Amino acid sequence: QVQLVESGGGLVQPGGSLRLSCAASGTIFSIYRMGWYRQAPGKERELVAAISSGGSTNYADSVKGRFTISRDNAKNTVYLQMNSLKHEDTAVYYCNVEGYYSEFNRFGLWGQGTQVTVSS
């Protein structure tokens, strides 16, 4: 089994910063993709940023230049540094991790979600 534990959400003023973390633990053979999604009230869940095992990244247009995704492969942890936060960044943020339990058995898991609220 693999578990994901998210941390780092909270309340921040517009223009502020937050850093989210998501750590994977358990029986892990390899992780090939880690990402962050968010879901605002009344909206569908959307991709914020993702990073491959090789370090390639992609971002939603709305966060480019403000958010940075990174990963520590030794710790099986993905981070999302969020700067210059805006009201419209308010949402529940979920990490998503895709990998292998063993050489041929894949998994894809969601974190429990962490609330990010941008408000003055």
Side-chain angles (χ1 to χ4, degrees), residues 7-9 18-22 36 78-80 82 93 114 116:
S7 61
L18 282 175
R19 188 191 193 209
L20 306 183
S21 300
C22 175
W36 289 96
V78 61
Y79 305 96
L80 185 68
M82 304 184 293
Y93 284 70
T114 186
V116 172

Side-chain angles (χ1 to χ4, degrees), residues 11-76:
L11 173 64
V12 64
Q13 293 186 342
S17 298
L18 282 175
R19 188 191 193 209
L20 306 183
S21 300
C22 175
S25 62
T27 304
I28 299 172
F29 179 75
S30 65
I31 293 175
Y32 57 86
R33 182 181 182 276
M34 308 181 89
W36 289 96
Y37 292 72
R38 66 186 181 188
Q39 188 166 19
K43 294 187 177 181
E44 293 185 354
R45 190 173 297 188
E46 64 175 357
L47 174 68
V48 176
I51 185 167
S52 71
S53 58
S56 297
T57 59
N58 63 290
Y59 295 90
D61 287 342
S62 59
V63 307
K64 284 180 180 177
R66 299 188 298 121
F67 291 10
T68 302
I69 189 170
S70 61
R71 61 189 284 173
D72 183 332
N73 291 329
K75 296 181 179 180
N76 290 328

